[in-house]
Amino acid sequence: MVSSNSLHTTTIFFLLMNLLLASFSTCSSATDTTATASTTTGAANRHRFSKIYAFGDSYTDTGNTHSTTGPYSYGYVSRPPYGTTYFHRSTNRYSDGRLVVDFLATALSLPFLPPYLDRSSSDLSHGVNFAVAGSTAIEHEFFARNNITMDITPQSLMTQFMWFKKYLERKGCRGNGSPRCRAEMANALFWVGEIGANDYAYSFTSSLSPNLIRELAVKNVINFLQALLENGAKHIVVQGLPLTGCLPLAMVLAPADDRDDIGCTASVNNQSYTHNLLLQNKLQDLRRRYPDAIISYADYFSAHHAVMKSPSTHGFIEPFKACCGTGGGPFNFDLFATCGSPNVSKACSNPTKFVNWDGVHLTEAMYKVVSDMFFHRGYCRPSFDILLSNKSH
């Protein structure tokens, strides 16, 4: 018999991640493609990388999905107050402003990455963002074969890789041995945002074991990375999963005794932690097989944990409440009245003091802190400085 705690954990994951995901859609043209160069790191990093190619899910997606086919209760990303902090309009980012990948572009003195599905973007010379909210590490066909029939975004990490290959072909790069292809890959930083949480969400109502999902998800991430490396990628950053158990939705649904050392949902965070351990072990194997490449692990879990353990140190006064939400209480979250919906047209007055934006995604302020931890505080291994130094030489 399944214990009540296991059932509760399953429910938390299913609802949390199902609401986090956005279904596939054509993208809006409302995407900012200019970024202000960083005055502190821009000069030093200028021209080290000429372009960025990004992959992942809603934490990295800069506009490949939007409201019209968004998830139940989170189908409002094309409306205000999404995007109001920095862009002053929605850009179909699941936040009030910039994401980690945006701060990355600024740190490298590059423009913000246009989403791949935005056909109005004429300048792709500095890279492209292939991330799609709701993407999985495991191919969609796997879920279909196992009779998981919920509304799953059909795009996976390998779908994004096929888009990347088509993009290269349109640029005249049809083989990784050509000078054009070698230059295209050698001058690029490949940013692989967090991916895999959606795989667990889709499978929790099925008979598929979490262990199987973890093995297959990590295997597919490694296969994806190997495909990039075989095509000439030399500099890759791979993000781990964040603390999904610290999101307001998880906290609302969790029983009072399901807590970890920082007051978050222990069972949910443990799933991400175990996933990240396996991913890091497999990355070590990949480094040994491709010694000429730099593969850096961005430890999202530890960075997120450091903030939640001491939020005031990082400038936050509200570690759990959703800035854009309703319902009051310690989490300001109501499953049936989420950010951007008719009942929630305004956000908190000062999002910079909040970790959580809409109950599932993070604020620009939090993404900025995490970015700084990645780029300057040692939460990338090897460090971001080593990555830059290797490229400059």
Side-chain angles (χ1 to χ4, degrees):
M1 176 178 290
V2 179
S3 69
S4 59
N5 187 58
S6 296
L7 286 173
H8 201 92
T9 299
T10 294
T11 302
I12 293 170
F13 264 94
F14 172 71
L15 290 174
L16 166 66
M17 303 315 299
N18 187 41
L19 290 174
L20 181 149
L21 313 177
S23 300
F24 169 79
S25 66
T26 56
C27 75
S28 165
S29 61
T31 303
D32 195 304
T33 57
T34 59
T36 303
S38 169
T39 57
T40 58
T41 62
N45 296 336
R46 191 180 303 277
H47 304 311
R48 287 182 177 175
F49 290 102
S50 62
K51 53 183 69 68
I52 303 167
Y53 295 120
F55 308 84
D57 61 16
S58 60
Y59 276 52
T60 306
D61 187 352
T62 56
N64 282 315
T65 55
H66 60 83
S67 286
T68 55
T69 54
Y72 177 75
S73 291
Y74 275 91
Y76 306 102
V77 69
S78 299
R79 303 181 187 179
Y82 282 97
T84 53
T85 292
Y86 181 81
F87 302 100
H88 308 298
R89 59 185 173 85
S90 169
T91 61
N92 295 309
R93 288 165 170 83
Y94 286 81
S95 182
D96 59 313
R98 292 164 289 181
L99 312 178
V100 171
V101 71
D102 297 312
F103 290 107
L104 171 69
T106 299
L108 297 178
S109 301
L110 297 173
F112 293 155
L113 298 183
Y116 174 73
L117 296 176
D118 185 357
R119 303 306 183 191
S120 68
S121 298
S122 57
D123 185 6
L124 306 179
S125 59
H126 296 291
V128 184
N129 192 333
F130 299 92
V132 176
S135 285
T136 54
I138 303 171
E139 290 89 345
H140 178 263
E141 290 74 14
F142 169 82
F143 298 102
R145 287 197 307 269
N146 285 278
N147 298 315
I148 299 176
T149 57
M150 72 174 70
D151 184 19
I152 298 176
T153 299
Q155 283 68 42
S156 69
L157 198 53
M158 277 301 175
T159 305
Q160 296 177 35
F161 179 73
M162 295 310 297
W163 288 349
F164 174 63
K165 291 285 285 182
K166 291 179 180 178
Y167 162 81
L168 290 180
E169 289 174 1
R170 289 199 298 268
K171 293 176 69 68
C173 177
R174 298 182 181 276
N176 60 359
S178 70
R180 186 184 186 96
C181 290
R182 287 200 302 270
E184 188 72 28
M185 303 296 278
N187 290 324
L189 174 61
F190 290 82
W191 186 267
V192 184
E194 68 109 9
I195 191 81
N198 302 339
D199 300 74
Y200 295 105
Y202 294 144
S203 64
F204 273 132
T205 56
S206 74
S207 60
L208 301 173
S209 76
N211 289 340
L212 173 63
I213 296 300
R214 179 170 58 251
E215 292 289 338
L216 290 178
V218 172
K219 178 182 178 181
N220 279 23
V221 171
I222 297 301
N223 287 343
F224 166 78
L225 295 173
Q226 183 173 334
L228 291 179
L229 291 161
E230 289 293 332
N231 278 269
K234 296 297 184 184
H235 302 89
I236 304 176
V237 178
V238 183
Q239 288 184 211
L241 299 182
L243 297 177
T244 51
C246 293
L247 302 176
L249 178 55
M251 299 298 294
V252 165
L253 297 175
D257 60 349
D258 187 8
R259 294 291 186 265
D260 57 19
D261 64 313
I262 51 176
C264 298
T265 309
S267 57
V268 180
N269 281 343
N270 286 340
Q271 182 71 78
S272 295
Y273 179 78
T274 306
H275 176 100
N276 290 339
L277 281 181
L278 180 60
L279 175 61
Q280 291 176 76
N281 288 337
K282 297 299 183 181
L283 288 178
Q284 281 291 83
D285 295 337
L286 207 58
R287 291 184 184 109
R288 285 190 285 267
R289 292 163 57 193
Y290 296 90
D292 293 334
I294 299 293
I295 306 171
S296 180
Y297 175 71
D299 193 349
Y300 213 139
F301 191 98
S302 294
H304 199 169
H305 187 278
V307 172
M308 296 303 292
K309 188 173 183 179
S310 181
S312 61
T313 301
H314 301 278
F316 299 108
I317 60 174
E318 293 289 356
F320 291 114
K321 278 187 178 180
C323 171
C324 184
T326 188
F331 309 111
N332 191 38
F333 181 79
D334 183 343
L335 180 63
F336 303 104
T338 56
C339 186
S341 64
N343 293 329
V344 192
S345 59
K346 295 182 179 180
C348 62
S349 60
N350 191 359
T352 63
K353 299 301 180 182
F354 285 68
V355 169
N356 293 287
W357 167 244
D358 59 8
V360 169
H361 305 93
L362 308 177
T363 59
E364 177 186 276
M366 179 59 173
Y367 287 128
K368 184 177 182 179
V369 168
V370 170
S371 300
D372 181 67
M373 296 170 86
F374 286 164
F375 306 151
H376 306 296
R377 309 295 177 186
Y379 284 83
C380 277
R381 299 186 298 271
S383 73
F384 203 70
D385 285 342
I386 289 176
L387 191 81
L388 294 173
S389 177
N390 182 274
K391 176 62 177 69
S392 67
H393 288 93

